[in-house]
Amino acid sequence: MVREKLGDVIGRRVLVCDGAMGTQLIARGLVAGECGELWNVQRSADVQAIHRSYLNAGCSLITTNTFGASSFSLAKSGLAERTVEINRAGATLARRAAGDAAWVLGDIGPFGDFLEPLGDMTPDRLADVFRQQAQALAEGGVDAFIIETMQDPNELAIAVKAARTVSPAPIIATYAFGKSESGFRTMMGCSVDAAMKAAIDAGADVVGANCGTALGLDDYVRLAGQLVAAAAGKPVILQPNAGSPQYSGGKLVYGATPADMAAVVPALLKAGLKVIGGCCGTTPEHLKAMAACV
């Protein structure tokens, strides 16, 4: 089978993206404070097994284990000098697992601090940080980039533009939203309309949301409709958490079952989503149930 170009497919039919990576690493022994992205080098078989489990669940988009693999984020673990190695390895693992059966998304998460004047990071320096990560992911063979869990539209725009300088591959851009008295907003107070406009203006090919603060599955359905309305015809992606988490035994527990997640898929499709996946708390079992509905 020859893999089609993702840019020729996305938006024309509904695609299923994979689910959480972090909780899957924890299930395999990742301990608090450990750098999960380093597993791309040290425990590659485990990372590849996670990718294969999502592929076998019916996911056609497989995301690299590089969410926190910018040089700025890796510096917190003393790994900044291994940025290229870790990202390239993450892309290679996902590419090897996906083969020609799925497309690989190079994952770029928030850099982990604030842009000036709230923080010390300048836009030019941040562009270099994201460009380095995107270049390594491209060298590892990704089919597209997913810039995710963003709160600040300025940071998202910098990441999108940086990725575009290294590759013509499609770019997916998503925010994390929470609820407020005035509707869904990011932690930085950005509305759905403003967030989608910023992503589109920056050049994102697919826009939407992943994760969320204290959002139940019904909230994600409402958010889906607002995202599609604000996307000005761009394909929209939504990756809900497995419900709103609750603390139990000193840790967050996501209570939505695979059946619960599958039950909202028809409403998400009716809202007009073109890409559906999962975020925190979701497992291959959740995605298998959702993919069956799609």
Side-chain angles (χ1 to χ4, degrees), residues 179-235:
K179 287 189 293 185
S180 71
E181 293 181 358
S182 58
F184 297 107
R185 290 187 178 272
T186 72
M187 183 182 70
M188 301 295 286
C190 188
S191 68
V192 172
D193 286 348
M196 295 302 99
K197 184 178 186 306
I200 293 168
D201 288 349
D205 300 289
V206 182
V207 296
N210 72 291
C211 202
T213 303
L215 300 184
L217 294 181
D218 290 342
D219 295 317
Y220 284 110
V221 172
R222 288 192 291 273
L223 177 58
Q226 293 184 25
L227 291 168
V228 172
K234 287 284 186 181

Side-chain angles (χ1 to χ4, degrees), residues 80-103:
E81 293 183 356
R82 302 183 70 178
T83 298
V84 171
E85 174 193 10
I86 288 171
N87 280 279
R88 192 180 289 154
T92 300
L93 287 174
R95 175 80 278 147
R96 191 176 300 148
D100 286 330
W103 295 278

Side-chain angles (χ1 to χ4, degrees), residues 98-193:
D100 286 330
W103 295 278
V104 173
L105 306 181
D107 195 3
I108 299 175
F111 79 99
D113 208 330
F114 296 101
L115 283 162
E116 59 181 19
L118 296 178
D120 297 325
M121 179 65 74
T122 67
D124 287 346
R125 180 184 169 206
L126 183 57
D128 288 339
V129 167
F130 284 137
R131 190 178 297 111
Q132 179 191 36
Q133 185 177 9
Q135 180 66 50
L137 290 168
E139 290 169 358
V142 302
D143 298 293
F145 301 101
I146 182 165
I147 295 163
E148 60 154 314
T149 324
M150 290 290 176
Q151 303 282 356
D152 181 356
N154 294 319
E155 180 181 357
L156 180 141
I158 291 169
V160 170
K161 293 174 182 178
R164 184 65 75 206
T165 64
V166 304
S167 171
I171 298 174
I172 301 170
T174 65
Y175 296 85
F177 289 97
K179 287 189 293 185
S180 71
E181 293 181 358
S182 58
F184 297 107
R185 290 187 178 272
T186 72
M187 183 182 70
M188 301 295 286
C190 188
S191 68
V192 172
D193 286 348

